[in-house]
Amino acid sequence: MAELRLALLVNPSAGKGRAAAAGHLAERALRETGAQLTVLAGETTAQTRALAHRAVSDGSDGVVVVGGDGTLTGIVDVLADAGIPVTLVPAGTGNDLARELGIPADDPGRAASAAVSGHARRIDLGTISSQGRDGVFLTIAALGFDAKVSERTNALRYPSGPLRYYLAIVIELLRLKPTDFRIAVDGGRAERMPGTLLAVGNTSSYGGGMPICKGARPDDGVLDVVHVAPLGRLKLLRVFPLLLRGTHLGRREVAHRRATRLCVSAPDLVVYADGERVGAGECTIGIRPGAVTMMIPEG
């Protein structure tokens, strides 16, 4: 059997620096397998993407990515288009994709070794177009209150850490008003659907485990669409704990459907996917079934 040629691609800044340590453990485990290993490190999105192209052009049999969901999302289309298996060593802040796929976040060596000894699982890849730009996502696209909180968090200069996120929630609660969504599903006519929140999921959770699209599967060829009707501040505060527990889908304020294509617009629309800002004003969301081959640890 020919020796595997693997590229280990590390984003050292992911997970507030945790990826650097995880990368060392992953490298040690992979060298112990006897694979031919090339270690690549990219600090920025552009650098990481350039290194992914390099791994493809070098003829790698697989790419092991050390970082968070955002790190992988920034390069996964390059690897998917080349048909190269991807192994994820989760080292981000949320690690929602790893949680969905059963990849351990506390054992970088085991996660990395799946490139050699794991099993392949083909998963879907979400697509998103907005403001003339095309992108992809692996977990969830957010288009409502949650996206506005992310936008506010990025705009604030202080405080630092989690307090900035909590302050952003308070500010957006005070400014709360429904988003005047216009939504067309699977080629149908656009309908006006005002709401507090709209989430489009390839997987079930975002934000480190919040199951907003509970029941979504990354290999079923469809997207799960969750729409929360307009809510006042107090009602939103009562519903929010249900979102955290995944018990919200039965509420009358919550609509859940499955689709393969959505066109969404709103005057104040902000679009985040896998935690990154990807557009505003309007967007078209779709899916590429089975586009990505992930290597998953056995057991």
Side-chain angles (χ1 to χ4, degrees):
M1 181 176 177
E3 184 179 76
L4 278 178
R5 300 180 60 196
L6 300 176
L8 176 64
L9 207 165
V10 184
N11 176 2
S13 61
K16 300 179 180 178
R18 288 192 297 275
H24 291 307
L25 294 171
E27 179 181 356
R28 185 169 67 188
L30 288 170
R31 293 200 185 281
E32 289 175 354
T33 69
Q36 182 180 334
L37 188 65
T38 300
V39 181
L40 307 170
E43 292 280 358
T44 67
T45 301
Q47 288 174 354
T48 305
R49 192 168 178 85
L51 291 172
H53 281 289
R54 175 180 161 184
V56 171
S57 64
D58 286 349
S60 300
D61 296 312
V63 175
V64 181
V65 180
V66 183
D69 294 337
T71 299
L72 180 55
T73 299
I75 61 173
V76 69
D77 58 322
V78 175
L79 306 178
D81 291 344
I84 294 179
V86 181
T87 304
L88 175 63
V89 178
T93 54
N95 298 321
D96 287 284
L97 180 64
R99 183 181 298 103
E100 189 80 29
L101 299 179
I103 300 171
D106 58 352
D107 192 343
R110 179 168 171 250
S113 297
V116 177
S117 58
H119 67 273
R121 180 178 177 184
R122 297 187 69 86
I123 67 170
D124 307 331
L125 184 61
T127 64
I128 191 159
S129 300
S130 181
Q131 297 179 310
R133 293 178 295 177
D134 297 326
V136 297
F137 66 99
L138 287 158
T139 60
I140 290 177
L143 302 92
F145 176 78
D146 43 2
K148 292 177 181 177
V149 169
S150 295
E151 185 90 331
R152 179 68 59 182
T153 302
N154 292 339
L156 292 172
R157 295 292 174 260
Y158 60 90
S160 61
L163 288 177
R164 183 167 59 176
Y165 178 73
Y166 299 143
L167 177 59
I169 291 177
V170 172
I171 293 173
E172 290 305 316
L173 273 173
L174 293 173
R175 296 168 56 90
L176 182 66
K177 64 177 182 178
T179 298
D180 193 15
F181 295 116
R182 289 185 63 83
I183 305 173
V185 179
D186 288 336
R189 187 162 62 180
E191 298 181 25
R192 183 171 175 265
M193 297 178 62
T196 298
L197 186 149
L198 179 65
V200 183
N202 184 42
T203 62
S204 62
S205 71
Y206 62 179
M210 185 188 300
I212 184 69
C213 295
K214 185 176 181 180
R217 292 183 51 186
D219 58 1
D220 60 2
V222 295
L223 297 162
D224 282 56
V225 183
V226 174
H227 175 273
V228 179
L231 302 176
R233 295 185 189 93
L234 293 178
K235 191 66 170 289
L236 178 57
L237 288 173
R238 286 198 294 268
V239 170
F240 202 76
L242 304 180
L243 300 178
L244 295 174
R245 297 194 298 268
T247 57
H248 57 291
L249 295 183
R251 301 277 302 190
R252 60 182 180 83
E253 305 93 340
V254 180
H256 175 217
R257 67 170 77 180
R258 292 184 170 91
T260 58
R261 179 181 171 87
L262 273 83
C263 296
V264 184
S265 64
D268 59 343
L269 186 71
V270 179
V271 188
Y272 275 71
D274 291 347
E276 303 293 330
R277 192 185 201 276
V278 295
E282 53 75 31
C283 70
T284 299
I285 301 175
I287 192 165
R288 292 172 55 185
V292 185
T293 300
M294 298 292 302
M295 298 303 295
I296 312 298
E298 295 291 353

